[in-house]
Amino acid sequence: MAAETPDLMFPVPEFSDHPIPTATIPEVQGEMGPVLDVAILFAALCLASYFTLVSRSRRNVLLLTIASLLWFGFWRQGCVCPIGATQNVALAVFDPTYVVPLAVVAFFILPLVFTLFFGRTFCASVCPLGAMQELIAVRSVAVPRWLDHSLGLVAYIYLGAALIFAATRTGFIICRYDPFIAFFRLGGNTDMLIFGSCILMIGVFVGRPYCRYLCPYGAILRVLSCFSKWRLSIPPGTCINCQLCEDACPYGAIHPPTVAQTPGARRRGKRQFGFALIASPFLVAGFWWLGTTLAVPLAQWHPESRLAEQMRLEELGIAETTTDASDAFRGSPRSVDELYQSALTRRNDFVTLGGLLGAWTGLVIGFKLIYLSVRRRREDYQADRAGCVSCGRCYWYCPVEKVRLGLISDVSEALPAGRTPTGPLVQLTAGGKKP
């Protein structure tokens, strides 16, 4: 029986009535696998940008969404993905001994480049996490603006924490708390299955809750999308201000036309802008101080700090039982004093890192206050550059778009009963030509 097993590091003990398990060697993925994944990602991004900005086909965007969910989600089991690759890149930047695979770098960079040119087409129909939420957003309700803006700050704070934890080898929290990875792999931690199920249930009524309020990679894309060279336009021509696009958007990313300000409102807006400018430095300083006070709980996320705490409790007789980690440490040549010293050094490091995370939080809040206090003039309904995920729902419901596609001959045929456009009604015939 021993002759049938591969070479092992230790002699095989003699058992008379117990079958010896055969050691298996995991199949090593060749170079073609990552290259194929990158090629498919590139092709999917090209198709998503074409379907969104050129052909303006909601049906094709939806088909690509399903294909991306099946390939990047269930077939590739959610790994590698650009969201998690953020941590690999952060660790490679701060730790020169860590070598990040080129495929991971490509997965991180490609969506960023496409966003700079075409907006968030990656979110539209390539990201498997976004795809899963897109397919269940069937009964979305409008989230109040103040709550939407407030919850949106969480993603930036999550991004800052994820970068700090990755750079210090504390952990890859984005992957650890990925709400959908257990579904993609058809099994996983019970807590994460419950968390993912809750996100999906919320997603039925609140469009893409993970993308809008938690996704750290989405936070980067939101910023880059503001500078995109091309972007989605709702009507192909003149907007008739029918409001159908705003009603159809489940993500609250359509802004209505602005109205003329009264002198009082203009003065109030200037005061709010001035208050935001003055308050921002204080917010940065205040959250910096708050972050430094969180050094101990932040350091406890590192496995070595948790081990040091466990060893201390065991030596004081407070811990009733040992753990596998503490038993393994006692079998190592390392001393307990060395472990304690390492934990103290790390805690001191997290005083600075916690301060940086706090300053980042204050900076994000301050910038949001300034952004909200700046009034932007709009004469028609426009998609928000940062919040729009380019799903195509808006132009699918747009009467002007339907005329362009030849589905109707006049925009009035697509308007609900009693709905009267507030803007200049443009009578269009099939093909988008004015009669």
Side-chain angles (χ1 to χ4, degrees), residues 107-157:
F107 262 76
F108 174 73
I109 292 179
L110 277 176
L112 302 182
V113 174
F114 271 77
T115 301
L116 280 174
F117 282 95
F118 309 112
R120 296 174 62 180
T121 53
F122 169 75
C123 302
S125 50
V126 182
C127 176
L129 280 69
M132 182 169 273
Q133 298 169 86
E134 175 72 23
L135 298 178
I136 62 170
V138 293
R139 300 182 64 86
S140 299
V141 297
V143 179
R145 290 286 183 188
W146 66 268
L147 182 59
D148 186 58
H149 285 296
S150 301
L151 293 177
L153 298 174
V154 177
Y156 294 96
I157 300 171

Side-chain angles (χ1 to χ4, degrees), residues 1-82:
M1 181 177 297
E4 299 176 354
T5 61
D7 293 337
L8 301 177
M9 295 180 62
F10 304 99
V12 178
E14 294 294 336
F15 292 104
S16 58
D17 56 351
H18 181 75
I20 302 299
T22 303
T24 59
I25 300 175
E27 184 179 355
V28 179
Q29 193 177 33
E31 295 182 355
M32 285 306 298
V35 172
L36 180 62
D37 284 338
V38 174
I40 293 176
L41 173 66
F42 180 76
L45 288 169
C46 291
L47 288 174
S49 302
Y50 179 80
F51 293 152
T52 302
L53 302 182
V54 181
S55 69
R56 298 168 61 86
S57 172
R58 165 66 180 166
R59 184 192 61 178
N60 289 342
V61 168
L62 198 56
L63 290 176
L64 183 59
T65 298
I66 297 172
S68 298
L69 176 61
L70 294 177
W71 177 263
F72 294 112
F74 290 101
W75 182 256
R76 299 300 297 155
Q77 298 184 337
C79 191
V80 55
C81 79

Side-chain angles (χ1 to χ4, degrees), residues 221-242:
L221 297 183
R222 288 172 72 94
V223 175
L224 295 183
S225 183
C226 295
F227 305 98
S228 61
K229 184 174 179 59
W230 295 283
R231 65 188 179 98
L232 180 147
S233 63
I234 302 171
T238 304
C239 178
I240 61 173
N241 292 342
C242 64

Side-chain angles (χ1 to χ4, degrees), residues 271-281 283 366 369-371 373:
R271 285 198 297 270
Q272 291 174 348
F273 180 73
F275 171 77
L277 279 180
I278 296 173
S280 295
L283 286 171
L369 291 176
I370 295 174
Y371 175 82
S373 63

Side-chain angles (χ1 to χ4, degrees), residues 16 43 52 91 169 200 209 213 243 263 279 305 343 355 427:
S16 58
T52 302
L91 179 56
R169 288 185 177 271
L200 289 178
Y213 307 129
Q243 201 181 339
S305 297
Q427 298 293 333

Side-chain angles (χ1 to χ4, degrees), residues 188-242:
N189 185 287
T190 304
D191 294 340
M192 293 311 300
L193 281 170
I194 295 174
F195 176 52
S197 300
C198 292
I199 293 289
L200 289 178
M201 285 190 289
I202 295 173
V204 175
F205 305 101
V206 178
R208 297 196 184 212
Y210 182 80
C211 299
R212 293 164 68 185
Y213 307 129
L214 288 175
C215 181
Y217 193 72
I220 302 175
L221 297 183
R222 288 172 72 94
V223 175
L224 295 183
S225 183
C226 295
F227 305 98
S228 61
K229 184 174 179 59
W230 295 283
R231 65 188 179 98
L232 180 147
S233 63
I234 302 171
T238 304
C239 178
I240 61 173
N241 292 342
C242 64

